[in-house]
Amino acid sequence: MKKSSLSPDEVNFDTSSGQKSKFAKKLANPKKNEILKQKGMQKDLRSSNLKIFGSEYFFNYELSWLQFNKRVLAEAKNEKNKLLERVKFLSIVCSNLDEFFQKRVGGLKRQLLAEVKELSVDGMTPSDQLKAVRHEVQDMIESYRGCFFEDLQPKLANKGIEIKSYKDLNEYQKSVSDRYFQKQVYPIVTPLAVDESHPFPFISNKSLSFAIELVNPRTKEKSFARLKIPANRNRFVQVHRKGNKVILIPIEDIIREKMPQFFPGMKVLSAHMFRVTRNASVDRNEEEAEDLLETIEDELRERKFAEIVRLEIDAKMPKHLKKYIVKNLNISWNDVYEMKGTIGLADVMEIAKLSGFNRLKERNWTPVLHPALKHNPEEEMPSIFEVIKRGDFMVHHPYHSFELSTQRFIEEAARDAKVLAIKQTLYRTSKDSPLMHSLMNAAEEGKQVAVLVEIKARFDEERNINWAQKLENYGVHVAYGIPGLKIHTKLTMVVREESDGLRTYCHIGTGNYHPDTAQLYEDLALFTCDEVLCSDVTDVFNLLTGYAPDQTFEKLLVAPNHMRKQMNELIEFEINEARESRPARIIAKMNSLEDPVIIQKLYEASGTGVNIDLIVRGVCRLIPGVEGMSENITVHSIIGRYLEHSRIYYFNHRGEHKYFIGSADWMHRNLDARVEAIAPIENEKLKKYMQFVLNIYFNDNKQRWILNADGSYDRAKKEKGKSKLSAHEFLMNHMKESDEPIPKAE
């Protein structure tokens, strides 16, 4: 058996106090703190006694998000990545931008419409932010399009993947295109004329359309028509495939070539592409809603017709047609982004997924069985409940199999005659989730099954509503959550009747119960039957399904009523340790760091000498490395093959080494507007695994970035004498080669 090359102790969790600064003294005496005198910023924040500092102490959320997308784009530009992986990253950049405009820009426009005067904590008005966003997005568009057309597309052609126009095809390839058009495209495309009797058509979100100018040869009268590209057909059509060579043609190029067939008797003067993005930030008053399900269904209909927040348009389109479209869409020119060439490059994911080009992709990864679940093939396989009774264990996706751990837990519970009840929170899952089918089967078998379905999960509302209705039809007790809060926590509990009485088993995770994303997202999950922890989980479900506003918990950190205070106390403990010149250390890993109160507390901790490392994949509003304020804080970001999604929190706590995992980031929405749960990791072996994983992240010199005080990021440099290390590659190799979760120190 090969040994892993990295010892769990290679990176010491240095708990010595960092350098203390004058900033700590300022915080100890707020009256002397000039920072708090920033105009317009002296106010309590969300019923906290703390006050926010001022605009110079926070990065802007939207601009920090765009910095994250730049790091994704850097992976598309990185020539060390396999070619089709680079194409995949470019597609992600574009789909990320789609979501950014729908949610973030849409939200800013709502604020602008509502004449919001309040500044963001970084001191910007909605108008200021929209201007800054447009400037950054323009640069990003130029960068990612240059990457695709000038770099990736020529390299793809050299490797046998050619994207051609219709005119560049040979006769045989043209005949293939013609047949495809006649059989697969022409019957489902509907050209729409625009005139006195035909109003300008509705343009659906993220749809690709042709703006067509026509002329009648007899009357010389000009007309306008819109033709929508069918969304249920591949964007890139294969017209030739032989061995390791394929020729693709964009579907719009075929349609453009055949355009006269849609308008017999008319002459096509021009046909140019455009694409709209609509606002997904829709206001909702849940407290006054008589039926939350009906309210969400109404919101989905409203979102379909929401205002347009972006128009992508062919730069070569005649100017008068651009004006015509802008006028009829009733948008500002500030929302128009002109582009040369193919629009909607998110669709190049089709190219990234082409079969038969494995040499241009990362090696396939098959998640392994967690060591705790392995058994002697000569003996009967123990139930997963017997395994959990032996001791807590933790799975780490996508390295450990979701199907053979989390999914197995639900499936066994559904079949097991001793299981009396199953309860689960559902935030997102797949279209045909086997977990949901298991829950429905369990209900049919007479088990008590309750599912808390979050029907407000952005972009998954319709799917979750469908699952909720299916579950109810099978006798599952379905609750839709609490008005004003989202249920974001990832919990499952199973109650089983055993020889010594009832026993509860729990799964507490950082990721959704989604079999598909479990292959792509990095997440952690704890399996436990600890009585106190399971009692807390039971109380969470009682809170969600009944009336328990004063519910308290012994071990779980639960939002919105408790977690903020508990996190504050954990940070405060380290501050007090540092003040007494004792070792003080904080490590936190999350998707985004946004909450101003938490950031302020981290500044205070840094000021007293606490050493702080933050691993933040996406948005980070904290400014690190500023002398006198945050010189003891380092912010890392891991961008690579898998989406870093787990939340891990570590506090030295006078040598007790407290670890937590769960569903919540340090964001206002997680701490104050969602139901979240974070669980302590108390098993010493699991603590050692957490240290092992964090050590790997801090050793990563291929995928890790470091945030600078000016908001830019630099790749982590490889130290002299160190080997190149990618956290994702290392963990895949380790899981495949070792029967132990943690390698022994050499």
Side-chain angles (χ1 to χ4, degrees):
M1 187 67 65
K2 294 182 181 179
K3 291 183 179 180
S4 299
S5 60
L6 181 65
S7 158
D9 300 316
E10 184 171 326
V11 176
N12 183 18
F13 273 33
D14 182 10
T15 56
S16 59
S17 295
Q19 180 183 356
K20 295 185 179 181
S21 72
K22 296 178 182 179
F23 197 67
K25 295 178 181 178
K26 284 187 176 184
L27 287 167
N29 191 350
K31 290 183 179 179
K32 294 182 180 180
N33 185 1
E34 294 181 3
I35 297 168
L36 292 179
K37 296 178 182 178
Q38 295 287 331
K39 185 179 180 181
M41 306 305 285
Q42 297 184 25
K43 61 179 182 179
D44 288 340
L45 183 64
R46 292 184 286 276
S47 71
S48 168
N49 291 325
L50 298 172
K51 294 178 184 295
I52 56 180
F53 293 158
S55 59
E56 63 192 275
Y57 293 90
F58 301 95
F59 289 129
N60 178 262
Y61 188 103
E62 323 304 338
L63 300 183
S64 180
W65 189 99
L66 290 171
Q67 279 288 340
F68 157 65
N69 214 33
K70 281 186 181 179
R71 298 196 294 283
V72 180
L73 178 54
E75 294 303 308
K77 293 181 176 181
N78 188 352
E79 294 188 356
K80 294 179 181 178
N81 289 329
K82 294 290 187 75
L83 185 56
L84 288 180
E85 296 302 311
R86 295 176 64 190
V87 174
K88 178 191 76 176
F89 279 114
L90 190 129
S91 170
I92 293 171
V93 167
C94 298
S95 59
N96 281 349
L97 271 179
D98 285 345
E99 185 170 329
F100 176 74
F101 271 89
Q102 288 177 268
K103 293 167 65 174
R104 303 306 310 178
V105 174
L108 288 173
K109 284 184 168 292
R110 287 274 166 141
Q111 291 181 38
L112 204 62
L113 192 64
E115 298 183 344
V116 172
K117 303 297 183 184
E118 184 178 341
L119 301 178
S120 60
V121 293
D122 49 282
M124 297 178 74
T125 66
S127 179
D128 293 335
Q129 294 178 77
L130 286 170
K131 289 175 184 176
V133 162
R134 180 172 174 83
H135 176 76
E136 290 293 323
V137 169
Q138 290 278 29
D139 288 346
M140 188 174 291
I141 289 171
E142 185 176 342
S143 185
Y144 81 69
R145 293 181 71 79
C147 174
F148 183 75
F149 293 112
E150 298 167 21
D151 185 8
L152 295 178
Q153 192 167 331
K155 285 183 170 65
L156 287 169
N158 290 337
K159 296 297 183 180
I161 303 173
E162 292 187 77
I163 304 170
K164 291 188 173 184
S165 67
Y166 185 91
K167 290 180 172 56
D168 294 329
L169 302 178
N170 62 33
E171 291 306 312
Y172 172 76
Q173 293 159 1
K174 286 181 179 178
S175 67
V176 172
S177 297
D178 294 346
R179 285 197 301 273
Y180 182 83
F181 174 79
Q182 293 297 337
K183 297 288 186 181
Q184 301 293 330
V185 180
Y186 185 74
I188 60 175
V189 171
T190 304
L192 298 174
V194 180
D195 52 33
E196 291 85 354
S197 57
H198 299 90
F200 195 89
F202 172 76
I203 310 296
S204 55
N205 184 42
K206 296 192 292 186
S207 61
L208 283 163
S209 300
F210 272 112
I212 307 158
E213 188 174 26
L214 306 158
V215 64
N216 187 317
R218 294 187 296 274
T219 65
K220 307 302 180 184
E221 183 181 355
K222 291 184 178 180
S223 304
F224 176 86
R226 177 257 185 159
L227 189 149
K228 180 181 177 180
I229 306 296
N232 56 358
R233 292 292 179 266
N234 285 342
R235 180 74 187 277
F236 297 92
V237 180
Q238 292 189 27
V239 295
H240 174 88
R241 183 72 187 255
K242 186 174 182 180
N244 287 327
K245 185 173 182 180
V246 63
I247 295 176
L248 306 171
I249 178 172
I251 190 171
E252 65 266 24
D253 207 60
I254 300 176
I255 294 173
R256 184 184 286 108
E257 184 66 26
K258 302 298 180 181
M259 193 70 74
Q261 290 193 34
F262 294 103
F263 307 100
M266 300 289 283
K267 182 180 179 181
V268 178
L269 295 178
S270 67
H272 296 274
M273 300 289 295
F274 69 98
R275 181 176 185 263
V276 303
T277 311
R278 291 185 178 272
N279 194 350
S281 178
V282 179
D283 293 332
R284 177 197 307 140
N285 190 339
E286 296 171 21
E287 286 77 5
E288 296 182 9
E290 294 183 7
D291 186 325
L292 186 57
L293 181 62
E294 185 177 322
T295 299
I296 302 302
E297 289 175 332
D298 289 343
E299 179 186 312
L300 289 174
R301 286 189 287 271
E302 182 182 347
R303 187 186 299 169
K304 181 180 178 181
F305 299 99
E307 68 270 27
I308 293 169
V309 293
R310 178 180 58 167
L311 169 65
E312 298 167 277
I313 199 164
D314 186 350
K316 293 183 178 180
M317 183 184 291
K319 191 172 182 179
H320 67 279
L321 280 186
K322 292 177 188 174
K323 290 181 178 179
Y324 180 78
I325 292 172
V326 168
K327 178 182 177 182
N328 279 276
L329 293 178
N330 193 29
I331 61 172
S332 163
W333 282 98
N334 289 328
D335 300 322
V336 178
Y337 293 85
E338 297 190 17
M339 301 177 182
K340 295 178 181 178
T342 304
I343 293 173
L345 287 180
D347 293 334
V348 299
M349 186 63 80
E350 290 180 14
I351 299 173
K353 292 181 177 180
L354 276 173
S355 62
F357 291 90
N358 292 340
R359 71 190 190 282
L360 304 179
K361 302 175 183 178
E362 294 284 3
R363 62 180 170 128
N364 288 331
W365 168 249
T366 302
V368 303
L369 181 66
H370 189 282
L373 296 169
K374 292 180 179 179
H375 73 288
N376 187 333
E378 297 178 0
E379 300 175 358
E380 184 179 354
M381 183 173 69
S383 76
I384 196 167
F385 305 109
E386 291 175 30
V387 176
I388 297 171
K389 267 199 290 189
R390 294 173 193 162
D392 292 359
F393 71 94
M394 184 186 298
V395 290
H396 196 177
H397 305 308
Y399 312 109
H400 293 134
S401 171
F402 178 88
E403 180 182 358
L404 300 177
S405 57
T406 305
Q407 187 172 317
R408 174 183 165 186
F409 180 59
I410 308 298
E411 290 174 344
E412 277 198 35
R415 294 193 303 266
D416 191 333
K418 294 181 179 180
V419 169
L420 304 178
I422 306 171
K423 299 181 182 182
Q424 185 179 75
T425 58
L426 177 66
Y427 192 72
R428 300 187 197 278
T429 192
S430 57
K431 186 177 180 180
D432 191 30
S433 171
L435 282 77
M436 296 301 102
H437 288 291
S438 292
L439 293 173
M440 291 187 287
N441 292 338
E444 279 196 312
E445 292 295 319
K447 294 176 169 60
Q448 284 273 358
V449 182
V451 180
L452 286 301
V453 180
E454 182 46 78
I455 58 174
K456 294 165 286 184
R458 190 74 63 90
F459 304 124
D460 275 277
E461 298 97 336
E462 187 171 359
R463 178 180 295 172
N464 285 2
I465 288 171
N466 289 337
W467 274 123
Q469 292 169 341
K470 287 180 182 178
L471 290 165
E472 284 185 326
N473 289 339
Y474 276 82
V476 174
H477 300 291
V478 176
Y480 297 119
I482 302 171
L485 297 174
K486 280 188 178 180
I487 303 172
H488 189 249
T489 184
K490 326 296 182 183
L491 300 174
T492 299
M493 60 173 281
V494 173
V495 182
R496 194 168 184 263
E497 190 168 37
E498 299 180 355
S499 58
D500 55 348
L502 296 181
R503 190 184 303 273
T504 301
Y505 298 84
C506 288
H507 174 282
I508 305 170
T510 69
N512 299 308
Y513 293 104
H514 198 309
D516 297 339
T517 58
Q519 313 300 313
L520 302 171
Y521 288 19
E522 178 273 339
D523 273 304
L524 293 161
L526 174 70
F527 287 93
T528 184
C529 59
D530 177 271
E531 288 187 11
V532 177
L533 203 51
C534 290
S535 176
D536 279 352
V537 172
T538 302
D539 289 340
V540 171
F541 279 101
N542 291 341
L543 170 70
L544 294 173
T545 59
Y547 298 101
D550 296 328
Q551 183 71 65
T552 58
F553 307 90
E554 286 193 53
K555 288 187 177 181
L556 274 185
L557 279 62
V558 179
N561 293 333
H562 308 285
M563 189 183 294
R564 177 182 286 284
K565 180 175 180 291
Q566 291 164 313
M567 283 293 184
N568 188 73
E569 289 171 350
L570 287 164
I571 299 171
E572 185 69 34
F573 190 96
E574 300 303 315
I575 291 172
N576 291 331
E577 291 294 284
R579 284 176 178 152
E580 296 298 324
S581 299
R582 288 193 289 265
R585 186 82 163 98
I586 296 172
I587 301 173
K589 177 181 180 292
M590 65 201 79
N591 294 301
S592 294
L593 171 57
E594 168 270 345
D595 187 75
V597 175
I598 291 285
I599 291 173
Q600 170 172 307
K601 205 66 185 170
L602 293 174
Y603 286 155
E604 182 181 351
S606 173
T608 56
V610 181
N611 278 335
I612 303 170
D613 277 285
L614 306 171
I615 305 172
V616 185
R617 186 194 78 230
V619 171
C620 180
R621 302 191 76 165
L622 178 146
I623 305 176
V626 177
E627 186 177 354
M629 181 180 80
S630 58
E631 66 264 53
N632 293 315
I633 304 176
T634 303
V635 178
H636 315 255
S637 179
I638 305 287
I639 304 291
R641 176 170 181 166
Y642 300 122
L643 184 86
E644 289 293 324
H645 193 254
S646 66
R647 288 86 167 183
I648 303 171
Y649 299 97
Y650 165 81
F651 304 89
N652 177 53
H653 211 80
R654 200 173 293 174
E656 190 177 337
H657 303 298
K658 285 182 173 285
Y659 286 91
F660 301 85
I661 68 166
S663 58
D665 293 333
W666 278 343
M667 299 182 71
H668 158 59
R669 70 185 187 192
N670 297 99
L671 298 170
D672 301 322
R674 290 183 173 186
V675 177
E676 306 275 12
I678 287 178
I681 303 300
E682 298 176 318
N683 180 290
E684 290 301 319
K685 286 185 177 180
L686 298 186
K687 285 186 177 183
K688 197 69 174 175
Y689 181 74
M690 302 301 293
Q691 180 184 352
F692 168 62
V693 169
L694 291 173
N695 285 341
I696 293 167
Y697 286 132
F698 293 135
N699 272 275
D700 190 309
N701 49 35
K702 291 179 71 176
Q703 299 170 210
R704 181 166 58 97
W705 297 76
I706 305 294
L707 175 59
N708 299 312
D710 64 358
S712 64
Y713 284 77
D714 292 326
R715 285 189 183 273
K717 295 179 181 178
K718 186 176 80 67
E719 296 178 18
K720 190 174 182 180
K722 291 275 189 180
S723 301
K724 290 183 179 180
L725 188 145
S726 154
H728 298 162
E729 291 173 8
F730 181 92
L731 284 167
M732 286 190 291
N733 289 333
H734 167 66
M735 298 298 183
K736 191 174 183 179
E737 296 169 356
S738 176
D739 288 328
E740 294 293 328
I742 313 162
K744 296 176 182 178
E746 297 181 5

